[in-house]
Amino acid sequence: MASGLVAQQLVPLGVVSATSDHTSVVSINIFVALLCGCIVIGHLLEENRWMSESITALVIGVCTGFVILVTTKGKSSHIFVFSEDLFFIYLLPPIIFNAGFQVKKKQFFRNFMTIALFGAVGTLISFFIVSLGAIAFFRKMDIGSLDVGDFLAIGAIFSATDSVCTLQVLNQDETPLLYSLVFGESVVNDATSVVLFNAIQNFDLVHIGANDILKFVANFGYLFLCSTFLGAFGGLLSAYMIKKLYMGRHSTDREVALMILMAYLSYMLAELLNLSGILTVFFCGIVMSHYTWHNVTESSRVTTKHAFATLSFISETFLFLYVGMDALDIEKWKFVSDSPGKSIAVSSILLGLVLVGRAAFVFPLSFISNLTKKSPDERIVFKQQVTIWWAGLMRGAVSIALAYNQFARSGHTQLRGNAIMITSTISVVLFSTVVFGLITKPLVRFVLPHNAKHLSSISSEPSTPKSLHSPLLENDEGSEVEVQEVMPRASSLRMLLSKPTHTVHYYWRKFDNAFMRPVFGGRGFVPSFPGSPTDQSLPGQP
């Protein structure tokens, strides 16, 4: 009798399991087919001056969501359920790592102080403006039960620029200065926004005092330095192991696998230690491209170049495709359907605060940054400031992930205020990505037609994996001396402010050549074994 009851219970469970597996397989097939469609359509629209791959994926996602909504008779609009863990653990790391792996380091570190100024100080300014604006407007609109923590979380959520979309809008070969500033700022900006968001959830906002603010500032400095150190350590460790073991003599697969796994391990260690995984994996990519990439075989170089770019591309497309489908999720919209005007007003206010908050730091901080520039070519002119302001207005998956984390914990189907904030976040992300993304390309070509060509012609630094036989980081000291000789004499203030940067860069090159490269390899490293990772015919070899 007992065995019969057990058998009767096992059958339904097996049926449910089989049904669930079948549903998952169908969902995966549909989503993979959509990804393929995004790639094909994106290729056909490659020459279009308005469209980008992120906008294409968003549009396809919205259309797919509409079809699913009609097919399911209004029950659902997406295939998968969004999870911030899926985003932060699986999709974000390859995007940020590939950005660090491909970035032009000379431009990035030459403008590092400006990038840090925009990414850290600028994000704080935007955070306060958006938070104070949300408190001033939303408390009068009666949109639901939101407390001070929710308003501050809104400031952190909408201070996070979209590094994914920014990479597709600007081209680092056409506009290297703008690309390095906007992209570098967006990476530091995302890290700062996540730190702010986590700090808000951990702080006692009712009894906050001066000591708590000082602790937060100290915690951010600790987080930034430790995250950077961990990423650099992961990159150096991979370089040292590959240099000593010469894995490529037997298997290039091991070299590629070790690079991928070490990068992902550094990200997960940062998350485990409550550090910034974004900063860690970004600097790990920079260090790997400077040392590790030059220690592997030629076939591994080609493989890693395309493997990292492919993983990043698929993750980006996946994110925007899902955001497009999630925009039509009826479960969220039905709680704001009784007052669509109020929902539109909330989205408009948030968009306006984003515009004001970004303008409040881009132009003043650009003026401060220009005081430290010795050469007129290195200063950020007004047209470039406008482009930087506009290009950073887009909000993306980071904002959506943080919004779900803050406003979906109690269930957006239960609290009206939470539903309004989630739908408003999706609306701002869609509008900013599509509208601002469409206009940014023509804006750059219209505002900076001659500057873009000039910057492209004077940029002598090749992209890391894009040019397999070019040096990763220019160390031509003679060219730098010539440039300095023809430069006009700067004012004493600018000379005082800019001299330490060049001095640090100069001594770093000396230290890198004398100590780092002999230990960790890199450009100029010549192994003693035949079939070596580094071809001695590369430029710059002794």
Side-chain angles (χ1 to χ4, degrees):
M1 179 69 69
S3 60
L5 291 175
V6 171
Q8 290 177 0
Q9 292 177 356
L10 288 177
V11 172
L13 289 176
V15 173
V16 171
S17 178
T19 305
S20 177
D21 292 341
H22 177 74
T23 304
S24 299
V25 171
V26 171
S27 300
I28 292 174
N29 274 276
I30 295 175
F31 213 94
V32 171
L34 290 173
L35 288 173
C36 295
C38 291
I39 294 173
V40 173
I41 297 176
H43 170 73
L44 296 176
L45 298 176
E46 181 72 25
E47 301 301 326
N48 189 287
R49 61 175 297 187
W50 298 95
M51 295 295 290
S52 65
E53 291 170 345
S54 58
I55 298 175
T56 302
L58 272 176
V59 173
I60 293 176
V62 171
C63 295
T64 304
F66 177 78
V67 172
I68 297 175
L69 197 65
V70 173
T71 304
T72 59
K73 298 180 180 181
K75 294 181 180 179
S76 177
S77 66
H78 46 67
I79 303 172
F80 297 114
V81 177
F82 183 85
S83 169
E84 59 269 16
D85 292 336
L86 170 68
F87 169 71
F88 282 109
I89 295 179
Y90 300 108
L91 299 180
L92 188 61
I95 296 172
I96 302 300
F97 175 81
N98 183 66
F101 195 73
Q102 301 278 1
V103 73
K104 292 187 175 182
K105 290 178 291 303
K106 176 180 273 188
Q107 283 287 342
F108 179 81
F109 286 107
R110 178 182 294 169
N111 301 291
F112 184 76
M113 294 306 298
T114 304
I115 289 171
L117 197 65
F118 283 169
V121 180
T123 303
L124 290 174
I125 295 173
S126 176
F127 163 74
F128 284 115
I129 290 178
V130 175
S131 297
L132 293 176
I135 293 174
F137 288 105
F138 295 160
R139 279 187 170 177
K140 298 178 181 178
M141 296 178 63
D142 187 27
I143 62 174
S145 57
L146 300 179
D147 54 23
V148 177
D150 292 326
F151 291 124
L152 294 179
I154 291 172
I157 290 168
F158 289 96
S159 295
T161 60
D162 182 21
S163 58
V164 176
C165 201
T166 303
L167 291 173
Q168 296 179 348
V169 169
L170 295 177
N171 186 295
Q172 68 174 329
D173 294 321
E174 295 178 358
T175 56
L177 175 62
L178 286 176
Y179 183 92
S180 64
L181 290 177
V182 174
F183 164 69
E185 179 238 327
S186 66
V187 173
V188 180
N189 165 281
D190 285 346
T192 307
S193 300
V194 173
V195 173
L196 281 171
F197 185 83
N198 293 333
I200 291 168
Q201 292 183 326
N202 297 328
F203 277 3
D204 183 7
L205 300 173
V206 179
H207 304 93
I208 190 171
N211 292 333
D212 296 317
I213 296 177
L214 292 176
K215 287 181 180 179
F216 172 76
V217 174
N219 180 62
F220 176 77
Y222 164 81
L223 184 87
F224 185 90
L225 293 176
C226 291
S227 301
T228 302
F229 173 79
L230 181 60
F233 177 78
L236 291 175
L237 182 60
S238 67
Y240 183 79
M241 287 191 295
I242 290 178
K243 176 177 178 292
K244 290 296 182 181
L245 299 176
Y246 299 129
M247 297 180 180
R249 289 179 300 162
H250 305 294
S251 173
T252 58
D253 297 339
R254 293 172 186 169
E255 289 183 324
V256 177
L258 185 63
M259 290 182 68
I260 294 175
L261 293 176
M262 286 296 295
Y264 190 69
L265 179 62
S266 67
Y267 180 87
M268 294 308 299
L269 279 176
E271 295 296 318
L272 180 66
L273 299 174
N274 294 320
L275 300 175
S276 173
I278 295 176
L279 281 176
T280 297
V281 77
F282 175 71
F283 281 100
C284 182
I286 290 180
V287 173
M288 277 192 177
S289 66
H290 189 54
Y291 296 107
T292 313
W293 190 74
H294 289 275
N295 296 341
V296 300
T297 60
E298 288 292 331
S299 58
S300 293
R301 294 183 190 181
V302 177
T303 303
T304 52
K305 164 197 167 183
H306 294 292
F308 295 148
T310 302
L311 290 174
S312 175
F313 173 74
I314 293 175
S315 298
E316 293 172 10
T317 308
F318 183 99
L319 285 173
F320 286 106
L321 186 62
Y322 183 86
V323 169
M325 288 190 292
D326 197 54
L328 298 178
D329 187 3
I330 195 66
E331 188 178 359
K332 290 189 282 287
W333 289 101
K334 67 181 181 181
F335 283 91
V336 299
S337 59
D338 58 336
S339 55
K342 185 170 292 186
S343 180
I344 295 174
V346 171
S347 301
S348 302
I349 290 172
L350 288 172
L351 193 61
L353 291 174
V354 168
L355 293 167
V356 175
R358 184 158 182 85
F361 76 82
V362 168
F363 299 105
L365 295 184
S366 296
F367 173 78
I368 296 174
S369 175
N370 287 339
L371 294 177
T372 67
K373 304 300 182 183
K374 181 165 62 174
S375 170
D377 293 334
E378 296 178 350
R379 296 172 196 160
I380 310 171
V381 299
F382 180 74
K383 291 182 178 180
Q384 292 174 328
Q385 295 175 25
V386 172
T387 306
I388 294 171
W389 168 73
W390 186 269
L393 292 175
M394 289 169 284
R395 298 297 178 265
V398 174
S399 297
I400 289 181
L402 295 179
Y404 268 80
N405 192 309
Q406 177 69 22
F407 297 109
R409 288 174 299 172
S410 301
H412 55 259
T413 60
Q414 302 296 327
L415 300 177
R416 182 169 175 269
N418 287 2
I420 290 179
M421 292 314 307
I422 291 178
T423 54
S424 298
T425 301
I426 294 175
S427 300
V428 171
V429 169
L430 286 175
F431 183 86
S432 63
T433 300
V434 174
V435 176
F436 297 156
L438 284 173
I439 300 177
T440 300
K441 280 185 178 179
L443 180 69
V444 172
R445 294 177 182 176
F446 175 76
V447 176
L448 307 167
H450 301 293
N451 289 22
K453 295 179 182 178
H454 177 64
L455 288 172
S456 178
S457 63
I458 67 174
S459 177
S460 60
E461 181 199 11
S463 245
T464 302
K466 291 182 181 178
S467 180
L468 294 178
H469 297 285
S470 300
L472 198 64
L473 183 63
E474 284 292 342
N475 288 321
D476 189 0
E477 298 177 18
S479 62
E480 292 185 359
V481 174
E482 293 175 2
V483 172
Q484 292 176 359
E485 289 178 354
V486 299
M487 284 182 181
R489 183 176 298 275
S491 65
S492 58
L493 175 60
R494 290 198 179 98
M495 186 176 296
L496 178 65
L497 292 172
S498 60
K499 186 176 180 181
T501 302
H502 292 283
T503 303
V504 170
H505 181 65
Y506 172 79
Y507 283 112
W508 161 250
R509 286 205 317 266
K510 295 293 184 182
F511 176 77
D512 189 30
N513 293 331
F515 299 100
M516 298 296 290
R517 287 180 178 175
V519 176
F520 299 104
R523 178 173 170 255
F525 166 63
V526 182
S528 57
F529 290 94
S532 63
T534 306
D535 186 0
Q536 297 188 20
S537 64
L538 284 174
Q541 293 285 358

